[in-house]
Amino acid sequence: MIQVRSDLADVHRATRESLSSAGTWWSARARHALADTAVRAMWAADPLPPWATNEAVAGFVSPGGLDDAPVTAHRAVARMARHASTIDRAWYASIVAELGALEYVELVGLVCVVAATSSLRHSLGLDATELLPVADAPASRTVPPALADAQLNWVPVAAPADASAAVVQALTAVPASNADLWSPAGAQYIPNEEMVDPKWSRGTLTRVETELVATHVSRGRECHY
């Protein structure tokens, strides 16, 4: 039996629950439907190509999914989940023109949670495509923080822009999604306050071994970093 650290299990449980709960700009039912599409895209033996049309996406989405979220949103999360390295600014602009910039930011956060939680489940031999039951709650539509256009990111970010690394400020325009992205980081990777310590370890992998794993995963995902 594989032993999973309690802090890692707890944070994955919480972030996994977020996929079936209301967000800031997407309702609980919309998030659940979109998470389902993202999971299906990640693990499909015959995935949608990155250039899939709305018609192709509509045939890929699970029954009822288009009742809860528009096909453009499903198309966006499917491409993020399976073909993130193919996304360019023109594609981003076309999606934002239909959905809105803050709605897009939340979709990015949702796909990040899908990738982290379903990958762990797959590694443990669990059903990587299983989602929790959905709640029925509207989006909070919480007023965002003061926003600014960034040079380091395509999306708007919490002001002041470009005061931190692109990956750090990327989802700050939607604080709940930003929290969903960063709350697992300390458990999965390294607590932020320990980043400056090259000898830090939680008693399992050394810092060097941790970075080796992170680099291998980043390369496999074609991550900029």
Side-chain angles (χ1 to χ4, degrees), residues 34-211:
L34 292 165
D36 178 73
T37 294
V39 169
R40 287 155 61 89
M42 274 192 69
W43 301 107
D46 185 20
L48 289 167
W51 55 83
T53 63
N54 280 2
E55 291 74 18
V57 172
F60 180 82
V61 176
S62 62
L66 295 178
D67 296 334
D68 298 314
V71 67
T72 299
H74 286 280
R75 177 159 53 90
V77 298
R79 185 160 179 175
M80 291 177 200
R82 191 66 182 248
H83 303 291
S85 64
T86 70
I87 292 173
D88 59 23
R89 192 157 194 164
W91 179 86
Y92 158 76
S94 70
I95 299 297
V96 166
E98 292 191 47
L99 301 179
L102 300 185
E103 288 83 353
Y104 178 88
V105 170
E106 185 169 322
L107 293 183
V108 174
L110 181 145
V111 174
C112 288
V113 172
V114 165
T117 56
S118 66
S119 294
L120 179 64
R121 290 180 63 82
H122 175 74
S123 299
L124 296 176
L126 302 174
D127 183 357
T129 65
E130 180 186 60
L131 294 173
L132 297 173
V134 63
D136 192 4
S140 68
R141 307 196 73 81
T142 303
V143 176
L147 301 179
D149 291 330
Q151 294 298 313
L152 299 178
N153 301 81
W154 299 340
V155 297
V157 301
D162 305 321
S164 56
V167 68
V168 174
Q169 70 179 12
L171 304 188
T172 53
V174 184
S177 293
N178 194 52
D180 281 346
L181 172 67
W182 289 107
S183 63
Q188 295 182 155
Y189 178 46
I190 301 169
N192 188 56
E193 63 273 14
E194 305 292 352
M195 289 289 185
V196 296
D197 182 1
K199 296 182 179 180
W200 177 86
S201 171
R202 57 169 44 94
T204 51
L205 299 180
T206 66
R207 176 68 186 270
V208 172
E209 290 169 335
T210 299
E211 296 294 356

